Amino acid sequence: RHKFWETQPVGQFKDTGDTSLPEGPIEPPTPLSEVKQEPYNLPNPYEWTTCDMDSEDTCTEVYNLLKNNYVEDDENMFRFNYSKEFLSWALRPPGYYKSWHIGVRAKASKKLVAFITGVPARIRVRDEVVKMAEINFLCVHKKLRSKRLAPVMIKEVTRRVHLENIWQAAYTAGVVLPTPITTCQYWHRSLNPKKLIDVGFSRLGPRMTMSRTIKLYKLPDSPATPGFRKMELHDVPAVTRLLRNYLSQFVVSPDFDENDVEHWLLPTEGVVDSYLVESPETHDVTDFCSFYTLPSSILGNQNYSILKAAYSYYNVSTKTPLLQLMNDALIVAKQKDFDVFNALDVMDNESFLKELKFGPGDGQLHYYLYNYRIRNALRPSELGLVLL
Ligand code: MYA
Ligand code: JJ1
């Protein structure tokens, strides 16, 4: 069934329900001297390249590879279109390794034809904090599919992660592989229903007219919560405390320190937006919400070429009800001209999805750990991790 994945230290389907297997690393680290020193072999026409994401030109090459060849929905109507600014942010967090930004070029033309990345992260699983790589942006050019390039790329990124003495990884995929730690559902909240219907992202409900639909999804012009404002640099310590305390309840979550919060959550124009509630009386930061910008190309529509989507990121409520906080997030996203607000059913998101008129999408997202066994699959609400 899975000629490659059967050979890897991941939970195997045949072991599901085997209560004798312990939680934790599947295989022990090997001495660094035993890690293969040379890159894996690629088919002859191709060569490895390390992508320097500080270079505008390399960033543009990666951007174009992904724009034309990355993830599509099941009917090939939309394709993720990560911006250059987003890629530069996502791939250069605190302590990142340039050697984990791996490309494949055609030797003859030097054209970039495949890509895979890792970034370092500390991920807490129950009461252990584990150094991991977060693997993302695996992409093989459409013309080079089904030639078993992906397994070579995965082995190569694994080797380079091992060289940094890191032995675990976290990743997500839209496809089922051995073996998800949990499977999440995408939910969508229309902000611009007319455009969404025109481009085939959503449909007019039964017995609904366009004008009733537009009215259904109308939102106020500005947020309702007193003290709701954009996050600023001086908020980093308070947001870190709020977030660490909140994430500690989930089975799997990132272990964010102040440096991580500054990188991942301080607003970056056109990439990540974060808001908080500062109590007008005590000036305490009591609540926090955030979303990232990930547009999709609309494939083959006469009128529109880009769908502007916001994706729910980390949200914490201690005083403002989560429902009200997320309604304010929808309002600011609408003001910023997003067409749709997307969320997964992770953390406490179930509590607001239906009430705020999100509807389930046709996509799922499976979460995985490499070389770390979780005895039973988690419920999405037990997961405190959002990957980009
Ligand atoms: S998920 C996003 C993945 N990208 C896309 O979906 C973009 C569009 N698709 C493509 O570019 C290609 O179809 C890809 C596969 C590149 C996905 N994750 O080369 P092949 C297995 C893992 O002939 P292609 C993301 O970025 C497949 O089951 N494995 O196939 C996270 C089969 O193995 P097996 C996948 O279609 C990535 C083999 O590849 C995926 O030409 C995390 C076939 O290879 C997938 N999404 O190329 C990677 N799709 O026979 C794992 C297919 O066994 C990281 N396959 O079934 C693991 C941790 C590594 C670090 C460890 C450190 C310690
Ligand atoms: O966006 C997605 N689906 C949309 C569009 C469907 C178009 C036809 N296939 C969708 N729309 C319905 C919205 C509607 C709004 C009003 C309320 C009811 C709902 O369902 C899906 C997610 O649902 N996205 C994808 O399929 C993209 C791929 C997802 C897997 C991502 C893997 C990422 C790898 C990360 O490393």
Side-chain angles (χ1 to χ4, degrees):
R1 282 275 19 243
H2 289 286
K3 268 296 160 230
F4 170 65
W5 281 109
E6 280 168 12
T7 69
Q8 298 297 300
V10 293
Q12 297 294 333
F13 292 132
K14 64 170 175 49
D15 297 335
T16 41
D18 187 335
T19 53
S20 71
L21 295 167
E23 287 212 346
I26 295 169
E27 56 181 40
T30 51
L32 281 183
S33 58
E34 286 171 28
V35 178
K36 195 167 146 8
Q37 288 299 127
E38 327 72 43
Y40 283 91
N41 291 323
L42 281 168
N44 220 306
Y46 307 106
E47 63 188 20
W48 296 112
T49 180
T50 295
C51 293
D52 178 0
M53 299 304 294
D54 303 332
S55 147
E56 186 68 37
D57 291 356
T58 309
C59 208
T60 301
E61 284 184 283
V62 169
Y63 168 81
N64 282 316
L65 175 73
L66 297 179
K67 177 168 92 83
N68 295 315
N69 302 279
Y70 201 48
V71 175
E72 300 178 7
D73 67 294
D74 62 350
E75 291 167 285
N76 313 105
M77 297 173 66
F78 305 97
R79 190 187 304 126
F80 287 154
N81 181 15
Y82 287 91
S83 70
K84 291 186 215 182
E85 296 72 28
F86 191 109
L87 293 168
S88 165
W89 168 73
L91 295 177
R92 296 180 314 137
Y96 79 93
Y97 303 97
K98 194 169 88 174
S99 61
W100 294 6
H101 303 158
I102 307 172
V104 173
R105 293 186 190 278
K107 278 182 189 164
S109 64
K110 300 286 155 173
K111 190 175 127 97
L112 187 69
V113 297
F115 193 58
I116 189 168
T117 67
V119 294
R122 294 179 314 281
I123 304 288
R124 184 184 50 77
V125 184
R126 301 193 204 277
D127 45 21
E128 305 248 46
V129 176
V130 185
K131 278 186 142 191
M132 295 199 193
E134 292 176 349
I135 307 298
N136 204 346
F137 305 115
L138 168 60
C139 183
V140 169
H141 193 286
K142 285 183 182 246
K143 293 198 168 149
L144 301 180
R145 297 278 169 88
S146 308
K147 295 176 182 296
R148 311 299 298 182
L149 267 178
V152 187
M153 301 185 68
I154 294 166
K155 285 189 275 184
E156 182 60 14
V157 75
T158 302
R159 189 184 71 83
R160 296 190 193 191
V161 170
H162 285 167
L163 286 172
E164 305 299 340
N165 200 20
I166 295 175
W167 305 89
Q168 272 74 32
Y171 51 103
T172 57
V175 295
V176 179
L177 304 165
T179 301
I181 60 165
T182 188
T183 294
C184 299
Q185 175 70 52
Y186 278 102
W187 290 71
H188 307 282
R189 203 311 182 167
S190 301
L191 301 175
N192 187 356
K194 177 160 190 313
K195 175 172 168 183
L196 295 182
I197 291 166
D198 287 349
V199 303
F201 186 90
S202 63
R203 288 197 215 150
L204 217 45
R207 293 175 301 282
M208 283 294 277
T209 61
M210 188 60 83
S211 54
R212 280 192 68 199
T213 304
I214 291 169
K215 187 173 163 207
L216 175 69
Y217 290 116
K218 269 227 176 317
L219 287 163
D221 289 328
S222 55
T225 310
F228 187 89
R229 62 165 174 85
K230 222 167 129 108
M231 179 189 175
E232 297 171 21
L233 182 58
H234 69 261
D235 298 316
V236 164
V239 168
T240 306
R241 268 180 271 133
L242 198 62
L243 197 58
R244 288 186 64 84
N245 179 52
Y246 177 66
L247 292 177
S248 68
Q249 70 184 289
F250 301 104
V251 176
V252 175
S253 84
D255 179 58
F256 282 144
D257 65 17
E258 291 185 3
N259 277 322
D260 301 318
V261 167
E262 179 173 340
H263 180 83
W264 291 120
L265 294 165
L266 194 63
T268 298
E269 175 79 28
V271 173
V272 62
D273 283 281
S274 301
Y275 292 86
L276 50 73
V277 181
E278 175 180 335
S279 163
E281 298 90 32
T282 65
H283 299 285
D284 287 341
V285 176
T286 55
D287 312 278
F288 175 82
C289 63
S290 59
F291 52 86
Y292 61 86
T293 299
L294 168 48
S296 283
S297 304
I298 304 172
L299 308 175
N301 187 277
Q302 300 291 69
N303 301 314
Y304 297 102
S305 59
I306 287 283
L307 187 74
K308 239 195 126 187
Y311 285 75
S312 174
Y313 197 27
Y314 292 97
N315 309 303
V316 184
S317 100
T318 69
K319 188 156 151 271
T320 310
L322 187 59
L323 192 84
Q324 182 182 330
L325 187 70
M326 295 311 294
N327 198 51
D328 283 347
L330 293 175
I331 292 166
V332 295
K334 171 73 190 173
Q335 290 311 325
K336 289 177 176 272
D337 205 39
F338 287 96
D339 299 314
V340 63
F341 192 101
N342 298 334
L344 295 164
D345 54 356
V346 297
M347 295 181 270
D348 292 314
N349 292 357
E350 286 258 58
S351 71
F352 64 77
L353 292 169
K354 285 182 179 157
E355 277 202 81
L356 294 180
K357 301 173 185 154
F358 287 71
D362 60 7
Q364 293 193 328
L365 189 64
H366 309 278
Y367 276 75
Y368 303 92
L369 296 178
Y370 183 93
N371 194 25
Y372 202 98
R373 187 184 298 106
I374 298 277
R375 203 170 306 106
N376 287 298
L378 309 181
R379 292 182 292 272
S381 59
E382 294 177 303
L383 187 75
L385 176 65
V386 177
L387 299 180
L388 304 169

